[in-house]
Amino acid sequence: MKGLYFQKSSTNEEITFVFQERENLPVIEDNYVRLQVKACALSQINTKLLTEMKMEKDFFPVGREIAGIVLDGILPLDSEDPGLCEVVRVHEHYLVHKPEKVTWTEAAGTIRDGVRAYTALHYLSHLSPGKSVLIMDGASALGMIAIQLAHHRGAKVISTAGSLEDKQCLERLRPSIARVIDVSSGKAHVAESCLEETGGLGVDIVLDAGVRLYSKDDEPAVKLHLLPHKHDIITLLGVGGHWVTTEENLQLDPPDSHCLFLKGATVAFLNDEVWNLSNVQQGKYLCILKDVMEKLSTGVFRPQLDEPIPLYEAKVSMEVVQKNPGRKKQVVQF
């Protein structure tokens, strides 16, 4: 039985994906189950995090967002089994029941972005009805789920679009977004647009998709017009606002911190892996997984999924996803 793995180069800068023959699964221990995989979503692998966690192996398993017969879940960070395999062994604490209405591909393709959206909007920023939320890059897989969750909670949503296609996609959403800011030309002023939309009060919650930390001369050209500067985010935050960032290397200068202090604002880092790094959080984590499946079943979550692909195409597709994730989630169907 084969599974997909990746191997890091000596410099840790490049990774290679390979199919490896797997040994027979060990005898099931207490609280472990065998899961016949029906679908597995493909997501970028954070090799830097694996290195920092000192998880050094010759081959790392690929594919953690899986759906299988009766159960589905996200394999823990230290799992020995790749999700891109017909059968895996997994602890029951990482599984929740899949509603009958939800397909295998929907379950696998939504579970991770659902966890990330819940972590950002519920646990890190305490989303509630009437709040204003800025979701950067709303047409991305995470952005779509975050917008749907924010609307479900009764929030006013503002979003950014990096292309005309993304803008049209966001404008078609129902419930409608309060304002879609087209940043593709590089001429839009995100801070001004948000302040105008909120009557000068600023937004309550910001979920970014990365930010510019330096001046235009020091930043890679590809990121210039699509990402806001950190000063823009601080400017558009309202009093008592929450900034949830995906920028792991965020640097705040003393003037930035002072401005946040005057607003009583907070900065939180979105790292969805924290749920798997501490058993203390297990109960909350399972509640999130269950709620994501329920909202998928009731139509609150409507994921943007690409056409399912067979297992033999997983290697090539994973190489593409690792370099540049598409707008739609890629799922392998068994």
Side-chain angles (χ1 to χ4, degrees):
M1 185 167 52
K2 290 185 177 181
L4 186 64
Y5 295 79
F6 77 89
Q7 186 178 27
K8 293 192 294 184
S9 66
S10 57
T11 61
N12 286 335
E13 293 180 358
E14 294 184 2
I15 61 176
T16 304
F17 295 95
V18 294
F19 278 107
Q20 290 274 1
E21 196 68 38
R22 298 178 59 223
E23 298 178 359
N24 292 330
L25 292 178
V27 177
I28 297 299
E29 304 170 15
D30 290 343
N31 302 319
Y32 277 81
V33 297
R34 289 179 188 269
L35 181 68
Q36 182 180 357
V37 179
K38 291 293 186 179
C40 178
L42 305 182
S43 294
Q44 270 188 324
I45 298 168
N46 190 339
T47 56
K48 183 178 179 181
L49 178 62
L50 292 174
T51 301
E52 291 174 345
M53 295 295 298
K54 302 188 184 304
M55 300 175 66
E56 302 295 337
K57 306 175 185 176
D58 291 334
F59 294 95
F60 290 83
V62 175
R64 297 172 51 217
E65 304 137 72
I66 60 174
I69 291 178
V70 179
L71 303 169
D72 81 299
I74 300 180
L75 293 180
L77 191 62
D78 59 353
S79 173
E80 297 290 336
D81 300 324
L84 288 167
C85 188
E86 294 179 358
V87 179
V88 298
R89 186 182 70 116
V90 59
H91 196 285
E92 63 183 4
H93 286 171
Y94 295 102
L95 301 170
V96 292
H97 286 282
K98 179 185 75 66
E100 190 174 345
K101 294 181 180 179
V102 178
T103 67
W104 302 116
T105 54
E106 286 174 339
T110 309
I111 193 70
R112 182 162 195 169
D113 290 319
V115 169
R116 298 186 75 199
Y118 256 88
T119 303
L121 298 181
H122 182 69
Y123 286 98
L124 297 180
S125 56
H126 312 294
L127 179 67
S128 60
K131 296 283 188 180
S132 56
V133 184
L134 170 63
I135 298 174
M136 309 295 294
D137 195 17
S140 64
L142 170 61
M144 279 291 186
I145 295 297
I147 288 171
Q148 292 161 9
L149 178 59
H151 274 149
H152 179 69
R153 293 287 178 85
K156 176 181 181 179
V157 179
I158 304 170
S159 188
T160 62
S163 67
L164 177 60
E165 183 180 0
D166 287 353
K167 184 174 184 288
Q168 294 172 341
C169 175
L170 292 173
E171 289 176 340
R172 289 195 297 266
L173 291 180
R174 294 295 179 271
S176 59
I177 296 175
R179 177 176 294 201
V180 178
I181 305 170
D182 186 357
V183 298
S184 61
S185 65
K187 298 178 181 179
H189 298 284
V190 176
E192 290 181 9
S193 298
C194 290
L195 290 172
E196 180 182 320
E197 187 63 37
T198 58
L201 297 176
V203 300
D204 299 303
I205 299 169
V206 176
L207 172 57
D208 72 33
V211 294
R212 282 193 289 121
L213 303 177
Y214 314 108
S215 64
K216 293 185 177 181
D217 296 334
D218 300 326
E219 201 82 32
V222 70
K223 299 173 65 177
L224 284 181
H225 64 283
L226 297 180
L227 298 180
H229 196 280
K230 60 181 178 180
H231 296 150
D232 295 330
I233 301 293
I234 295 172
T235 300
L236 62 84
L237 263 182
V239 173
H242 302 278
W243 175 10
V244 181
T245 182
T246 59
E247 182 57 63
E248 61 185 54
N249 296 315
L250 179 67
Q251 299 178 32
L252 296 177
D253 300 320
D256 302 329
S257 299
H258 184 65
C259 187
L260 290 169
F261 167 77
L262 292 176
K263 293 185 176 188
T266 63
V267 178
F269 292 87
L270 178 58
N271 176 13
D272 52 296
E273 298 295 355
V274 296
W275 299 111
N276 287 321
L277 299 179
S278 172
N279 291 332
V280 175
Q281 306 290 341
Q282 195 66 47
K284 292 180 181 178
Y285 180 57
L286 289 176
C287 284
I288 294 176
L289 294 179
K290 183 179 179 181
D291 210 26
V292 169
M293 287 297 104
E294 288 179 353
K295 283 181 170 48
L296 192 55
S297 176
T298 57
V300 173
F301 287 160
R302 303 176 302 282
Q304 304 291 308
L305 304 179
D306 214 334
E307 288 295 320
I309 61 172
L311 179 60
Y312 64 82
E313 293 183 9
K315 178 180 179 293
V316 175
S317 296
M318 192 62 215
E319 291 171 347
V320 174
V321 170
Q322 185 67 18
K323 293 179 180 178
N324 184 28
R327 311 313 274 165
K328 296 182 178 181
K329 197 78 170 183
Q330 187 72 70
V331 181
V332 175
Q333 188 171 28
F334 290 78

